[in-house]
Amino acid sequence: MSRTNPASYSPLHIALHWLIAAAILFQLIFGERIKDLGRALKDGGTPDAITVFMGNAHIWVGIAVLALTIVRLLVRARYGVPAPLPSSRPQELAARAVHGLLYIAMVLVPITGLVAWYGGVHTAGEIHELAKPLFIILTALHVLGALYHQIALRDGGLMRMFSAR
Ligand code: HEM
Ligand code: HEM
């Protein structure tokens, strides 16, 4: 962890934030398709082209989330992030907790998916299926926090992830 606090998130950190968020959204919307592929392969049938494409897309987009998150954590450790915006101590702790849990999910969700698919570990698949509710709850809290800063506290909190100064 860097000891310096830059004035803003770096352009690379911001780009990675939105790229990863878009990739996760894709995974949540189309996640069911890899289950169709798994079922078709298990039954010994020939899956149709769209199922094969979307199943493989789930794997590669998921691996991209893992790889980009590792890059982002390295960028974060190297260049640091801006100091938290002033708010009450409980609010600051809640924001830290949600950010920490999002990072943990961004690493562990793809790993459990890989273990389930390539290792055939059923329990990993069951844990992986928690990805949808987990990301929905964490992202909802996260977005509410950003909007609270932007609209209620009027401190430009939301804009911190849009422009680097
Ligand atoms: C951040 C990345 C990922 C997200 C957000 C994600 C999300 C999801 C979602 C929402 C589902 C459907 C769950 C349901 O219908 O209840 C799913 C299923 C699945 N995903 Fe992922 N996934 C990610 C990465 C991966 C990766 C890298 C793999 C590796 C192959 C993978 C393998 C699977 C498998 C095997 C299933 C079916 C699980 C089962 O039927 O037990 N996922 N994923
Ligand atoms: C799945 C989607 C998302 C994920 C995984 C995610 C993850 C994160 C994480 C981990 C951080 C902490 C950055 C750090 O300190 O290194 C962050 C910051 C931030 N995110 Fe997201 N985010 C997502 C979606 C969104 C959305 C939709 C918005 C806008 C409404 C948003 C707005 C922000 C803002 C404004 C910050 C900066 C907070 C601050 O430092 O004051 N994020 N995000």
Side-chain angles (χ1 to χ4, degrees):
M1 178 84 59
S2 166
R3 286 188 193 86
T4 56
N5 277 128
S8 64
Y9 288 101
S10 69
L12 180 55
H13 195 121
I14 293 173
L16 287 170
H17 175 273
W18 292 114
L19 198 58
I20 294 169
I24 290 175
L25 184 65
F26 175 89
Q27 297 294 77
L28 299 186
I29 293 173
F30 300 111
E32 293 280 336
R33 304 309 293 262
I34 193 170
K35 293 171 89 176
D36 298 340
L37 179 61
R39 268 192 293 267
L41 294 175
K42 210 171 160 189
D43 296 346
T46 311
D48 61 75
I50 293 181
T51 303
V52 172
F53 178 81
M54 291 305 285
N56 279 301
H58 188 82
I59 297 171
W60 287 110
V61 172
I63 290 173
V65 168
L66 178 60
L68 292 174
T69 300
I70 292 169
V71 172
R72 179 163 159 194
L73 287 169
L74 293 174
V75 170
R76 193 183 198 281
R78 175 74 181 81
Y79 299 102
V81 289
L85 286 165
S87 59
S88 70
R89 186 79 184 130
Q91 279 167 359
E92 197 183 312
L93 287 177
R96 262 176 205 260
V98 171
H99 289 169
L101 289 171
L102 279 168
Y103 274 128
I104 290 171
M106 285 146 73
V107 172
L108 289 189
V109 167
I111 289 177
T112 53
L114 288 167
V115 173
W117 186 256
Y118 293 108
V121 182
H122 183 68
T123 316
E126 286 183 345
I127 296 172
H128 186 75
E129 288 200 300
L130 297 175
K132 200 171 200 167
L134 185 68
F135 271 118
I136 289 174
I137 292 168
L138 289 176
T139 311
L141 290 171
H142 179 57
V143 170
L144 282 176
L147 292 178
Y148 176 74
H149 271 280
Q150 187 69 29
I151 296 167
L153 301 182
R154 295 171 189 266
D155 57 9
L158 180 58
M159 299 324 290
R160 278 164 46 115
M161 220 18 119
F162 282 97
S163 65
R165 262 174 276 151

